[in-house]
């Protein structure tokens, strides 16, 4: 009972995150179909949806950290969830692609703010001894949403419509906001005048502080940015995933859907193992070993010739990704001051968004000019190299950083 008391609030937060993530998958599937219908089957119109998220991050991240670090985190999370719920609820009433793109752009801004704000709140909420296990549970919740969300979306679309699925997503966001409201207020009466906070002089000062933190904590900055480079490569490779599976391996759409489900099962299995083992797995192992193993999974996938090989690669990379994400989140919570988390995540995330756009476009162009497989192989080898660099940084910094959640 005492153990449950310590975990009551973290479990409520996990429930809010899980419900929100399931809703996000329903939203993604429903909105894709709505845009496809409105654009008379234009794949480019659907692709435009995916470009709005990193573009929103580019617009948001240079200033949002200044706001996040000065506002009450719980109140901000509630406002962001409620704002997203209202906007998603209005989407079925928009009758032009321009309005939908504008709404998705605003939703992207909210998401760009929500991620660093939630990380800061999570760090305040958890005891140091709870962080690593919670992060593993969070990966488990994410994988559950990855598996359950598309299934629920499919059922809603089968028995209802895309609009009904969007309303369901709005309801999920409202539920997440209610659960967050139950959680304790950890910032007291912390408030900030938005007009005063978002002035250029203060934003410039915050950038200088983040650069100063990076120079003073070179290993923290190096590990964070190297892991970001790893994620950028993974995102760029994921953009070619469907094309490689269907056009090169000759898989049917049903088999490709099964591959995605296998990846979800892999993340779930990895997160389950990480949560069961808890603090017995050291953060350097999770972070360094996890990234190298993810790269190995991508290599298996890139050299595969059939469904079995591709499925093996997918399971390996997804299983290891749960370890890598758990390790990175714990490392971040242990080594970045909570008071600066919003600014650091937002400013570093700005660079990540730029490279996601550039590298995704570059990989796509290279796949058109050459062929897809060499691009997938080259990208996987680049991931492996980045993973090796990360292992070196982690090993070098073992005695200089906080690694244990105890």
């Amino acid at each position: 009972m005492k153990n449950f008391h310590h975990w009551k609030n973290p479990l409520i937060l996990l429930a809010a995150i899980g419900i929100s993530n399931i809703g996000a998958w329903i939203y993604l599937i429903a909105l894709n179909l709505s845009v496809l219908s409105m654009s008379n089957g234009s794949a480019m119109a659907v692709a435009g949806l995916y470009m709005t998220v990193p573009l929103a991050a580019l617009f948001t991240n240079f200033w949002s950290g200044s706001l996040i670090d000065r506002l009450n985190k719980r109140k901000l999370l509630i406002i962001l969830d409620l704002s997203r719920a209202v906007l998603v609820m209005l989407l079925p009433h928009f009758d032009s692609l321009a309005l939908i793109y504008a709404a998705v752009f605003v939703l992207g801004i909210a998401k760009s703010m929500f991620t660093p704000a939630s990380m800061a709140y999570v760090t305040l909420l958890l005891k140091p001894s709870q962080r690593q296990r919670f992060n593993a549970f969070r990966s488990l919740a994410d994988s559950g949403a990855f598996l359950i969300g598309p299934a629920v979306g499919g059922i809603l679309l089968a028995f209802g419509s895309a609009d009904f699925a969007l309303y369901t997503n709005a309801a999920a966001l409202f539920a997440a906001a209610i659960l967050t409201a139950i959680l304790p207020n950890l910032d007291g009466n912390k408030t900030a005048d938005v007009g005063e906070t978002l002035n250029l002089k203060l934003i410039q000062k915050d950038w200088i502080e983040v650069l100063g933190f990076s120079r003073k904590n070179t290993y923290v900055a190096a590990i964070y940015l190297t892991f970001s480079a790893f994620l950028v490569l993974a995102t760029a490779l994921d953009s070619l995933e469907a094309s490689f599976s269907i056009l090169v391996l000759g898989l049917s759409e049903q088999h490709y859907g099964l591959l995605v489900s296998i990846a979800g099962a892999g993340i779930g299995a990895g997160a389950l193992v990480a949560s069961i083992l808890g603090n017995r797995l050291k953060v350097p192992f999770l972070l360094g070993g996890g990234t190298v193993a993810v790269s190995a999974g991508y290599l298996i996938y890139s050299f595969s010739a059939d469904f079995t090989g591709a499925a093996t690669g997918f399971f390996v990379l997804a299983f290891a990704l749960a370890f890598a994400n758990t390790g990175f989140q714990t490392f971040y919570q242990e080594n970045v001051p909570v008071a600066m988390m919003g600014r650091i995540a937002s400013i570093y995330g700005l660079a990540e968004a730029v490279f996601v756009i550039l590298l995704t476009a570059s990989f796509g162009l290279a796949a058109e000019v050459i062929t897809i497989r060499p691009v997938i192989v080259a990208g996987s080898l680049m991931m492996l190299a980045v993973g090796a660099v990360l292992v070196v940084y982690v090993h070098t910094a073992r005695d200089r950083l906080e690694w244990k959640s105890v």
Side-chain angles (χ1 to χ4, degrees):
M1 184 63 70
K2 183 179 179 182
N3 195 42
F4 174 77
H5 175 74
H6 290 315
W7 277 94
K8 183 184 73 171
N9 288 330
L11 289 174
I12 291 173
L13 182 58
L14 272 176
I17 291 170
I19 291 170
S20 179
N21 285 347
I22 290 171
W25 277 101
I26 297 170
Y27 155 81
L28 182 65
I29 294 170
L31 195 59
N32 282 352
L33 293 178
S34 294
V35 170
L36 200 62
S37 173
M38 291 178 66
S39 63
N40 297 317
S42 170
M44 183 60 71
V46 176
L49 288 174
Y50 289 86
M51 293 301 293
T52 58
V53 175
L55 286 174
L58 289 180
F59 173 78
T60 310
N61 283 23
F62 77 91
W63 56 263
S64 61
S66 298
L67 189 63
I68 292 165
D69 285 338
R70 290 175 171 85
L71 289 178
N72 184 292
K73 308 296 184 298
R74 188 189 64 142
K75 290 180 181 178
L76 179 59
L77 293 176
I78 294 169
I79 290 170
L80 290 172
D81 270 339
L82 291 176
S83 300
R84 290 191 294 173
V86 171
L87 198 51
V88 170
M89 194 165 54
L90 291 174
L91 276 173
H93 303 283
F94 294 159
D95 56 1
S96 75
L97 287 176
L99 279 174
I100 288 178
Y101 285 138
V104 172
F105 185 80
V106 175
L107 287 166
I109 291 174
K111 181 181 178 182
S112 295
M113 295 182 67
F114 187 91
T115 300
S118 64
M119 180 61 84
Y121 183 78
V122 163
T123 307
L124 287 170
L125 180 68
L126 300 175
K127 295 179 178 178
S129 59
Q130 294 177 309
R131 289 171 183 166
Q132 186 170 318
R133 192 181 292 273
F134 176 87
N135 292 330
F137 282 142
R138 183 168 185 170
S139 293
L140 190 60
D142 290 344
S143 67
F146 185 83
L147 289 171
I148 297 170
V152 173
I155 292 170
L156 291 173
L157 290 169
F159 293 97
S161 64
D163 289 353
F164 179 63
L166 289 172
Y167 289 136
T168 304
N169 174 224
L173 288 167
F174 274 119
I178 292 170
L179 286 172
T180 305
I182 297 173
L183 295 171
N185 178 11
L186 302 174
D187 282 319
N189 296 319
K190 188 176 182 180
T191 56
D193 183 279
V194 175
E196 180 183 339
T197 299
L198 295 180
N199 64 70
L200 290 176
K201 186 177 180 180
L202 190 57
I203 293 172
Q204 183 183 25
K205 173 177 171 287
D206 286 343
W207 272 72
I208 292 171
E209 284 187 13
V210 171
L211 292 174
F213 172 86
S214 302
R215 283 194 295 266
K216 189 180 296 184
N217 300 272
T218 52
Y219 280 110
V220 175
I223 291 170
Y224 190 113
L225 293 174
T226 304
F227 189 78
S228 291
F230 173 83
L231 293 181
V232 167
L233 282 164
T235 303
L237 286 175
D238 287 347
S239 69
L240 299 175
E241 187 182 279
S243 300
F244 179 75
S245 299
I246 294 171
L247 300 179
V248 178
L249 299 183
L251 303 182
S252 65
E253 291 185 3
Q254 289 75 20
H255 276 101
Y256 173 67
L258 183 57
L259 276 183
V260 175
S261 297
I262 288 171
I267 296 174
L272 186 61
V273 170
S275 61
I276 290 172
L277 294 178
N279 293 339
R280 282 173 285 181
L281 293 174
K282 303 304 180 186
V283 175
F285 168 77
L286 291 170
L287 184 55
T291 51
V292 171
V294 172
S295 305
Y298 270 104
L299 277 172
I300 294 171
Y301 173 65
S302 68
F303 284 108
S304 63
D306 53 22
F307 175 80
T308 302
T312 302
F314 260 48
F315 186 84
V316 169
L317 73 88
F319 184 91
L321 187 61
F323 282 69
N325 283 335
T326 299
F328 175 73
Q329 289 169 7
T330 308
F331 153 80
Y332 183 74
Q333 290 163 346
E334 296 293 335
N335 291 284
V336 175
V338 177
M340 291 188 69
M341 278 187 173
R343 283 165 287 177
I344 289 171
S346 296
I347 291 172
Y348 285 4
L350 183 64
E352 187 176 316
V354 170
F355 283 106
V356 163
I357 294 172
L358 293 177
L359 205 60
T360 301
S362 299
F363 276 26
L365 181 61
E368 290 286 337
V369 174
I370 315 171
T371 56
I372 299 176
R373 188 187 290 273
V375 178
I376 297 281
V377 171
S380 300
L381 290 171
M382 290 167 66
M383 281 187 72
L384 185 61
V386 171
V389 171
L390 187 59
V391 168
V392 171
Y393 280 138
V394 167
H395 178 74
T396 307
R398 283 183 75 95
D399 299 325
R400 306 185 187 205
L401 301 178
E402 294 294 330
W403 290 109
K404 297 179 182 179
S405 292
V406 293

